[in-house]
Amino acid sequence: MAFQRETEALGQVAGRLGWDQETMMPRGAAEQRSDEMSAMEGVLHARRADPRIAGWLAQADPVDAVAAANLRHISRSYQRATKVPAALAQELARVTSIAQGIWAEARAKDDVAAFLPTLAEVIRLRREEATCLAQGGDLYDALIEDFEPGATAASLGAMFDAMRPRLVALREAVLGATYQPVKLEGHFGQEAQMRMARDLATAFGYDWERGRLDLAVHPFSSGSGDDARITTRVVEADPFNCFYSTIHEVGHACYELGIDPDYRLTPLGSGVSMGVHESQSRIYENQMGRGRAFAGWMFGQMQGRFDGLNIPDADAFYAAVNRVQSGFIRTEADEVHYNLHVMLRFDLERALIRGDLAVGDLESAWNDRFRADFGVEVMRPSQGMLQDVHWSCGLFGYFPTYSLGNVYAGCLNVAMRRDVPDVDDHLARGDATPATAWLRENLQRHGGLYEPREVVALACGFEPSEGPLLDYLEAKFRAIYRL
């Protein structure tokens, strides 16, 4: 395991380079950083595909479940690495590093044309990689495997097909309701927002001795073990953007920080999949953070920090926090619309990878689909295909894990409230400890010990499905909108 520990440590160093690129790196360093990322990927790829690993795996005799799980992850990584040429892996690292800066500038200028050639190159490289991995199978399935082992486009598509009718019906009912919550309005300064964001992170158990909070164009979490960092962003007219982005990323970071320390710098020392990861960020953000109990505590906090709130009481604030509207931005979307945003991306990126959609037609395809799904016309690219960082990073196959995480979170919420019936009494005081302790004990501490669906089923005591999430959404929003 000494060899593997060094590989895991180098992977963490590569992640830190990515964190720096999005938070602290001077803009002029982008080209050099892409070479650094390429070089690091070359080192990591060589280690992951080291021919000695095959012999070590053949000789290994796991003595317990932990050893067997480590071998499972090492074998999966080795099989993947040996299928992808080192030169391709390095070129992907180099191009996606540069692409993030090009995307950020194009987004700021609403200039799709400036991004399309780079996006086309990213897609070309990812399709080449997927061809190596799929070995005659479905290219998109091969990419999904990187983020959610065991999931396929077919299984995710079936999940979306089951979710869409109830989500659309709920949306129509809510948007047509007589009662509509008041929107929070005003000017909320950056410094005050960041102070409250730090307090929110503390309320959800974020360990400041092993983490930090910074600003980024697109909020993210990075790292594991004893170093799990988070970022957020500030819109001075919309503090919920900052507050709920922060809580979301705290969920990711707390998952990493909550893993059994014995697994540190082993294949078990990180979250097992992005779907399970998203279950943590989404249950922190939504079932807890947007719940009536915690929203009531937040209202009191905001009254003490921001003058002239246009929201009269805690009930109206809870409704404002959960206000449903056909907005453009996925990360700002309410719970009713959020999964519809993901479905749009799932269908478009699957078509891009399969070659059914040309990159040059992506903007019009996005805008047409958005109009059909949301009934709103996209007015500028930063509201549409340029809003997310994922495609510049080459993260094709990642988006559906957001909805899978919502599904897992719906199941975990049922189980948590079954086992911790007084959880809302604590959340109403700004104390998420009983909830986060349950999640840490039943899911987070296991890291990569189990397969994704297996660890959720073990935590819940039942097989995960979309039913609990949809039941939760219908009950919550029908009550808020007095339907």
Side-chain angles (χ1 to χ4, degrees):
M1 286 297 291
F3 181 89
Q4 186 63 33
R5 287 180 67 84
E6 288 186 357
T7 303
E8 297 290 337
L10 288 168
Q12 291 296 314
V13 173
R16 212 76 70 243
L17 285 173
W19 170 86
D20 176 73
Q21 178 173 314
E22 297 302 308
T23 56
M24 302 290 183
M25 186 187 79
R27 291 179 62 187
E31 186 171 350
Q32 177 177 316
R33 178 55 50 87
S34 71
D35 289 336
E36 294 166 356
M37 295 292 277
S38 177
M40 181 62 78
E41 180 59 31
V43 172
L44 284 166
H45 187 275
R47 294 183 68 88
R48 290 166 179 156
D50 190 310
R52 292 177 294 175
I53 293 176
W56 293 334
L57 287 170
Q59 296 170 13
D61 183 17
V63 297
D64 55 25
V66 171
N70 273 308
L71 291 174
R72 182 178 73 246
H73 285 283
I74 294 169
S75 177
R76 183 178 286 160
S77 172
Y78 176 72
Q79 294 298 324
R80 184 195 188 285
T82 54
K83 292 174 184 175
V84 178
L88 174 58
Q90 288 189 253
E91 183 65 1
L92 260 168
R94 185 188 70 81
V95 170
T96 53
S97 178
I98 290 177
Q100 291 172 62
I102 295 172
W103 161 79
E105 188 169 345
R107 180 179 182 272
K109 296 179 178 179
D110 278 308
D111 187 356
V112 170
F115 180 53
L116 285 184
T118 302
L119 177 60
E121 179 64 5
V122 171
I123 291 172
R124 183 189 70 79
L125 291 169
R126 282 294 269 167
R127 292 187 81 246
E128 184 178 344
E129 179 190 44
T131 301
C132 296
L133 294 169
Q135 298 188 330
D138 186 272
L139 299 188
Y140 192 60
D141 283 354
L143 299 181
I144 291 172
E145 186 73 14
D146 278 350
F147 306 105
E148 195 67 24
T152 64
S155 67
L156 294 167
M159 178 186 76
F160 287 136
D161 288 345
M163 294 172 69
R164 182 184 286 275
R166 288 177 67 178
L167 288 174
V168 170
L170 178 60
R171 179 187 67 179
E172 297 308 310
V174 164
L175 292 181
T178 301
Y179 170 75
Q180 294 291 320
V182 174
K183 179 182 179 181
L184 178 67
E185 295 179 342
H187 180 270
F188 304 87
Q190 177 169 311
E191 289 186 10
Q193 285 197 41
M194 290 300 287
R195 283 196 296 271
M196 183 157 174
R198 290 184 64 86
D199 289 343
L200 289 169
T202 299
F204 279 93
Y206 188 49
D207 184 350
W208 293 104
E209 292 295 313
R210 298 188 289 163
R212 55 179 290 140
L213 173 63
D214 294 278
L215 291 170
V217 174
H218 191 106
F220 68 96
S221 175
S222 174
S224 65
D226 286 330
D227 189 343
R229 309 176 187 195
I230 59 173
T231 64
T232 192
R233 64 182 171 203
V234 171
V235 178
E236 296 198 342
D238 179 16
F240 294 155
N241 195 314
C242 174
F243 299 160
Y244 285 101
S245 291
T246 300
I247 295 171
H248 180 100
E249 302 306 336
V250 165
H252 282 303
C254 284
Y255 182 12
E256 295 292 339
L257 295 172
I259 294 171
D260 188 329
D262 289 344
Y263 300 161
R264 190 178 297 121
L265 295 182
T266 76
L268 309 189
S270 298
V272 68
S273 75
M274 289 315 305
V276 178
H277 240 300
E278 290 300 329
S279 77
Q280 300 308 282
S281 60
R282 297 298 282 175
I283 196 172
Y284 276 52
E285 176 189 356
N286 292 327
Q287 282 89 347
M288 290 191 280
R290 295 184 193 272
R292 182 182 295 275
F294 193 78
W297 178 81
M298 277 186 68
F299 177 65
Q301 291 294 306
M302 290 195 70
Q303 281 185 309
R305 299 167 189 251
F306 301 100
D307 295 330
L309 291 183
N310 68 311
I311 305 294
D313 54 44
D315 286 341
F317 184 83
Y318 168 62
V321 162
N322 291 285
R323 184 169 172 264
V324 175
Q325 57 183 331
S326 293
F328 298 103
I329 308 301
R330 174 187 60 84
T331 56
E332 301 169 13
D334 57 79
E335 291 179 83
V336 175
H337 280 100
Y338 187 90
N339 294 295
L340 298 175
H341 283 270
V342 175
M343 292 175 198
L344 178 152
R345 289 155 176 77
F346 170 71
D347 289 338
L348 291 179
E349 70 175 21
R350 181 169 51 168
L352 286 167
I353 294 300
R354 290 178 171 176
D356 298 331
L357 175 63
V359 177
D361 296 329
L362 176 58
E363 183 180 17
S364 61
W366 178 296
N367 294 348
D368 290 345
R369 173 67 180 270
F370 195 87
R371 187 188 311 110
D373 282 6
F374 295 87
V376 180
E377 194 78 34
V378 175
M379 302 303 294
R380 57 183 187 274
S382 57
Q383 295 176 332
M385 63 160 281
L386 289 181
Q387 68 178 268
D388 292 303
V389 70
H390 301 63
W391 288 340
S392 69
C393 301
L395 300 179
F396 291 88
Y398 188 123
F399 274 123
T401 67
Y402 285 116
S403 285
L404 189 57
N406 280 334
V407 167
Y408 289 161
C411 298
L412 290 166
N413 184 53
V414 168
M416 177 185 71
R417 291 176 181 278
R418 175 196 66 208
D419 295 345
V420 190
D422 64 344
V423 65
D424 280 336
D425 294 338
H426 293 270
L427 289 169
R429 299 192 294 270
D431 176 18
T433 303
T436 56
W438 186 92
L439 290 166
R440 185 169 55 252
E441 173 63 24
N442 289 280
L443 186 142
Q444 294 173 359
R445 68 184 178 91
H446 298 305
L449 182 61
Y450 302 105
E451 294 287 19
R453 288 184 65 87
E454 182 184 11
V455 74
V456 176
L458 285 170
C460 295
F462 56 85
E463 286 295 318
S465 72
E466 62 277 352
L469 172 68
L470 296 171
D471 291 345
Y472 151 80
L473 292 174
E474 289 174 349
K476 176 178 181 176
F477 286 95
R478 287 188 177 278
I480 291 173
Y481 280 81
R482 305 171 185 176
L483 296 171

